[in-house]
Amino acid sequence: QFPPKALELLKDLNLWVFHSKDDVIFPVKCSDNLVASLRKVNIRPDRVRYTRYEKDQEGFTGAVKGHSTGITASKLPDIYEWMLGL
């Protein structure tokens, strides 16, 4: 569960969440829950985008497996178009 105040502060923002199912540092269910909660309180649920990878796109292994979505996201041309379109 997320604190109501946090959801209130985030509800009208454009957000794009990236996560990998095999993240060994931060469970993907946390992002799943965040996105679901934000879509429920957001007047425009389409403002919350979610890219959920099944496995680490950068091939990270060991103690950082699945925790490279920031690198992956930075390689996507769409992310920059999305940011400039806000």
Side-chain angles (χ1 to χ4, degrees), residues 16-85:
W16 192 345
V17 177
F18 290 84
H19 210 128
S20 183
K21 184 178 176 182
D22 62 351
D23 189 331
V24 297
I25 296 173
F26 194 73
V28 73
K29 69 179 179 182
C30 295
S31 288
D32 294 343
N33 292 338
L34 173 64
V35 169
S37 295
L38 287 171
R39 285 180 175 161
K40 284 180 187 173
V41 298
N42 201 313
I43 294 169
R44 292 185 42 210
D46 62 315
R47 294 175 100 179
V48 181
R49 292 183 68 171
Y50 188 24
T51 300
R52 187 181 194 269
Y53 297 106
E54 287 300 308
K55 64 179 188 167
D56 192 305
Q57 299 295 295
E58 304 302 320
F60 284 24
T61 60
V64 293
K65 180 180 178 185
H67 203 69
S68 65
T69 56
I71 296 168
T72 304
S74 72
K75 294 178 181 179
L76 298 173
D78 289 355
I79 192 85
Y80 299 102
E81 292 173 16
W82 176 79
M83 287 170 42
L84 291 171

